[in-house]
Amino acid sequence: MKPGSFVTFEGIEGAGKSSNISYAEMLLKNSGKPVMLTREPGGTPLGESLRELLLGHQHDGMSFKAELLLMFAARAQHLQSKILPALERGEWVICDRFTDATYAYQGGGRNLDSAVISVLETLVQGERRPDLTILLDLPVEMGLERAGQRSAPDRFEKEKLDFFERVRAAYLQIAGKDPQRVKVVDASLPLEQVQQQIKVVLAPFLESA
Ligand code: Z5A
């Protein structure tokens, strides 16, 4: 059987990942693809437990290196027990965040060395990278305003504006270096127009898959 494709959605806080992942799922299912949705950190029982530690406030002040390692610990489990088996079964995996988030948040936001992140990426993933990454890009203030209309802020959401500016800049840098894989979508537009861009990005990909 032909292996499935690995699609990730990325973006700063409030970029609209959840809203647009549902739309992408609908497009894929309508063209007859089996789809599995998942998220990071999380996606497995171990990953979801690590997510609680990472996002909750019981470990406020966690070392940035501990945070980095926990992200990759969750990812190692996620790849082994969920993502790779699904791809081997021929499913399309749509993941809400993946390693680009680590480069953006721990690298850009926390100022950790991207060379170290790259070593961990290779350790955990080998050569495996997403086939397609949709980066939902919008001004930080707009993302925070959208996100702010929801529940109480988690450990990341409590960060200041300049943290998210660095995260956004890191994401755009990744996209600039790897335009073949990372497609930037203007997420500041109304939802229907964002979805239109996602449809355009996915179209050639669907045809060739
Ligand atoms: N993190 C990390 O540091 N390192 C890593 O390696 C990984 C993650 C994997 C959890 O991520 C945190 O983990 C994250 C980074 C860190 N922290 N932060 N920040 P998460 O993905 O679970 O959490 P999140 O970024 O806060 O995502 P979110 O809250 O789910 O936001 P979203 O999915 O991008 O947005 P949304 O819920 O779809 O939309 C937000 C609101 O805007 C909602 O009311 C929508 O109805 C509205 N919306 C959406 N699109 C539009 C448009 N186009 N117009 C108007 N309104 C809109």
Side-chain angles (χ1 to χ4, degrees), residues 7-13 15-17 20 97 100-101 104-105 132-138 167-178 181-188 194 197-198 201:
V7 181
T8 60
F9 275 74
E10 298 282 359
I12 58 160
E13 194 41 22
K17 290 178 288 88
N20 289 296
R97 297 193 185 281
D100 293 319
Y105 282 81
L132 170 68
T133 296
I134 296 179
L135 172 57
L136 298 168
D137 179 61
L138 79 176
V167 172
R168 182 187 184 199
Y171 268 134
L172 289 172
Q173 198 181 12
I174 292 167
K177 278 191 193 153
D178 195 356
R181 172 179 67 87
V182 185
K183 304 296 178 194
V184 183
V185 159
D186 182 352
S188 69
V194 178
Q197 295 174 74
I198 289 173
V201 164

Side-chain angles (χ1 to χ4, degrees), residues 12-19 40-41 51 55 71 75 96-98 101-102 105-106 146 150 156-157 164 187 189-191 194:
I12 58 160
E13 194 41 22
K17 290 178 288 88
S18 312
S19 323
E40 289 214 347
R51 180 184 178 92
L55 301 195
M71 291 293 176
R75 186 162 299 137
D96 186 340
R97 297 193 185 281
F98 195 63
T102 312
Y105 282 81
Q106 282 63 54
R146 285 183 188 171
R150 300 172 315 182
F156 288 96
E157 290 164 351
F164 291 104
L189 299 171
L191 191 57
V194 178

Side-chain angles (χ1 to χ4, degrees), residues 5 7 22 25 35 37 64 69 107 110-111 120 124 126 152 156 159 168 189 193 195 201 208:
S5 295
V7 181
S22 310
E25 179 189 22
V35 183
L37 298 187
F64 294 165
L69 291 168
R110 305 293 198 209
N111 285 315
L120 293 170
V124 168
F156 288 96
E159 289 295 337
R168 182 187 184 199
L189 299 171
Q193 291 178 38
Q195 291 176 341
V201 164
S208 67

Side-chain angles (χ1 to χ4, degrees), residues 2 39 41 62 142 189:
K2 199 172 175 223
R39 68 171 179 181
M62 177 187 298
M142 187 182 269
L189 299 171

Side-chain angles (χ1 to χ4, degrees), residues 6 36 38-40 44 75 77-89 91 93 95 98 128:
F6 184 24
M36 186 188 79
T38 188
R39 68 171 179 181
E40 289 214 347
T44 66
R75 186 162 299 137
Q77 187 67 24
H78 196 197
L79 269 170
Q80 179 187 293
S81 66
K82 195 160 175 183
I83 295 176
L84 296 178
L87 292 173
E88 277 156 25
R89 288 193 301 270
E91 294 173 21
V93 175
C95 192
F98 195 63
R128 170 64 66 178

